Amino acid sequence: MLKLTFLGTSSGVPTIRRNVTALAVHSTTNRDWWLVDCGEATQHQLQRIPLTVHDLAGICITHIHGDHSYGLPGLLASASMTGRKKPLILVAPAAVKAWLDATILHTELFLTFDIIHIDVASARQVHLEDGLLIERFPLSHRVPSFGFKFSFEKTTWKVDSDALRARGVPPGPAWGQLQHGKDVRLDDGSLLIAAEFRSQHSERAVAVIGGDNDQPALLAEACVDADVLVHEATYTEAILQKVGPGPQHSSVERIAQFGAAARVPNLVLTHVGARYDSAEGMAEVEAEARQHYSGTLFLARDFDTYELNDSVLAKLPPAPRIK
């Protein structure tokens, strides 16, 4: 009931193969989807997948750095020019909203829809609706940075088919009425009480998506019940040692070690530095991760889509791209 589609997986700057950070989070229960970060040219990436800006429910920005936010004005302008009317939720730092307001003013960008801004620093719970809770968790970076926890839940009712057959009620309209909570009176005058012939079943999917962060352990609480963790892996450990602590990013080794310690069943690495853009470089990243993490591991690439079913994350076959 959860899908992740990566629109950009590079750190800092785009490469020939990978754009800067953007991730679509969508449930299989409806058409709505959310965007986590919106690097430059995210709207161009959207042209090549089935998701549209008209079904975009909201955007979560992890922090103010440009490779996570520079795509916002263009995306919003395109949504307006193609006729979007419904409001859009923007969960972002106050500085991002101020910059966006200034851009709208000084470029005469007239939006056809309202933006509902939620300051990401204001509260842990940033969005709640039927079937979806979004929470944010403070991280460690050169500027305030946050991770987001998406908790999807779907509740359905199922009739007890064995009990109904034993009662002499064949499949038919009566089953549907019972499933919807309606008592049914049979032809013989007896009454079937819905509560006695149906039960509630809940499905849950939890994804934790980290922003830039040099302390993966800050997501320990968020990952307690998580099915999948998506986290930056900007450097291998050897390069991080050379670069030093200044950039405040995670290494592959450190996030893999955290994923193992937190017992997260599925780990997806993204925001990989441009220096690893070759096949050999990505192989180096994967090899380091597998030294420390034995769960289901993926290195995200642009346009990869992953689907979660019963806590098992699987990469879907590439969808035909829109040309």
Side-chain angles (χ1 to χ4, degrees), residues 142 214 240-241 243-249:
R142 303 190 303 278
D214 68 353
L240 180 58
Q241 292 295 332
V243 171
Q248 290 191 253
H249 284 293

Side-chain angles (χ1 to χ4, degrees), residues 4-5 21 99 165 170 192 204 212 230 255 267 309 315:
L4 304 171
T5 299
T21 302
W99 163 70
R165 287 192 175 93
L192 300 182
R204 197 161 185 264
D212 287 4
V230 178
I255 184 58
L267 176 63
N309 285 303
K315 181 179 175 182

Side-chain angles (χ1 to χ4, degrees), residues 153-308:
E153 189 165 7
K154 178 183 178 182
T155 300
T156 58
W157 290 91
K158 295 183 179 180
V159 296
D160 188 337
S161 56
D162 292 337
L164 286 172
R165 287 192 175 93
R167 183 65 175 75
V169 183
W175 285 33
Q177 293 178 49
L178 291 168
Q179 183 172 349
H180 287 88
K182 298 179 180 179
D183 298 340
V184 174
R185 189 169 297 279
L186 300 179
D187 293 340
D188 63 6
S190 60
L191 183 67
L192 300 182
I193 305 300
E196 299 175 358
F197 290 93
R198 72 170 188 158
S199 58
Q200 191 177 46
H201 296 262
S202 295
E203 297 177 73
R204 197 161 185 264
V206 178
V208 175
I209 301 160
D212 287 4
N213 173 40
D214 68 353
Q215 297 182 37
L218 291 172
L219 288 170
E221 181 185 354
C223 288
V224 167
D225 58 348
D227 297 295
V228 55
L229 170 62
V230 178
H231 199 280
E232 62 119 326
T234 305
Y235 306 112
T236 52
E237 181 64 21
I239 295 298
L240 180 58
Q241 292 295 332
K242 292 180 180 179
V243 171
Q248 290 191 253
H249 284 293
S250 286
S251 73
V252 179
E253 176 181 298
R254 296 179 191 188
I255 184 58
Q257 288 176 336
F258 168 73
R263 299 182 181 276
V264 179
N266 303 284
L267 176 63
V268 185
L269 303 182
T270 186
H271 197 273
V272 178
R275 72 182 71 221
Y276 305 103
D277 204 44
S278 66
E280 294 78 10
M282 295 302 282
E284 180 183 356
V285 170
E286 182 174 4
E288 180 168 303
R290 293 196 182 279
Q291 287 178 11
H292 305 280
Y293 179 78
S294 59
T296 302
L297 172 71
F298 293 100
L299 270 63
R301 291 170 171 81
D302 287 21
F303 306 111
D304 280 355
T305 293
Y306 301 89
E307 185 173 69
L308 185 74

